[in-house]
Amino acid sequence: MNAEILMQQAWQAQKNAYAPYSGFKVGAALVTGSGLVYCGANVENSSLGLTVCAERIAVFKGVNAGENDFKAIAVAASSNDLIYPCGACLQVLAEFTSGLKIYLAEGKKHICCFSLNDFLPFRFSLNR
């Protein structure tokens, strides 16, 4: 799938974010090997440790729909700076793939492409 189209879906997903405490809204769009896209937006909680990131919501939606072959994820944040996925999200993504492409938006003007291995070269796995 085209990075720009996937990023547009992440921007659209961001509109559904629930971020009353930080005001920091994030959307994610995850594409599977079959070409389906699962979107998520961050959901905050007054008990901040229970907040869930957009990336993990997208993964959980895909897995619950029977998917586990993920090819790329686009992440759009309410910031003009490049925002990277957190460690928890990277580890969840690593559960399903090592060759995942990660597209990040720098504002709404530029899309940067990374691989999961760029961020998490030594991930935890029980299957090693």
Side-chain angles (χ1 to χ4, degrees):
M1 171 167 285
N2 179 300
E4 288 82 17
I5 293 171
L6 195 60
M7 187 60 72
Q8 287 299 321
Q9 291 178 320
W11 284 116
Q12 188 65 34
Q14 182 194 45
K15 294 177 182 177
N16 293 324
Y18 178 74
Y21 306 104
S22 72
F24 190 72
K25 297 182 175 189
V26 181
L30 179 69
V31 66
T32 68
S34 63
L36 295 173
V37 176
Y38 294 91
C39 295
N42 59 316
V43 177
E44 292 183 348
N45 188 279
S46 59
S47 176
L48 294 178
L50 299 178
T51 294
V52 181
C53 300
E55 299 92 4
R56 281 182 278 159
I57 289 177
V59 170
F60 298 158
K61 285 172 73 174
V63 170
N64 276 281
E67 299 279 352
N68 63 10
D69 178 25
F70 304 123
K71 300 299 182 191
I73 190 166
V75 182
S78 59
S79 170
N80 287 325
D81 297 322
L82 203 57
I83 302 300
Y84 304 97
C86 73
C89 288
L90 293 170
Q91 183 61 49
V92 167
L93 289 163
E95 179 73 18
F96 301 99
T97 183
S98 62
L100 185 78
K101 289 183 182 177
I102 300 175
Y103 298 110
L104 305 175
E106 189 172 6
K108 287 198 175 186
K109 58 185 178 270
H110 184 71
I111 298 173
C112 298
C113 181
F114 300 91
S115 75
L116 180 63
N117 288 333
D118 290 333
F119 297 124
L120 196 65
F122 303 106
R123 66 191 145 277
F124 174 80
S125 175
L126 291 175
N127 297 323
R128 290 189 189 219

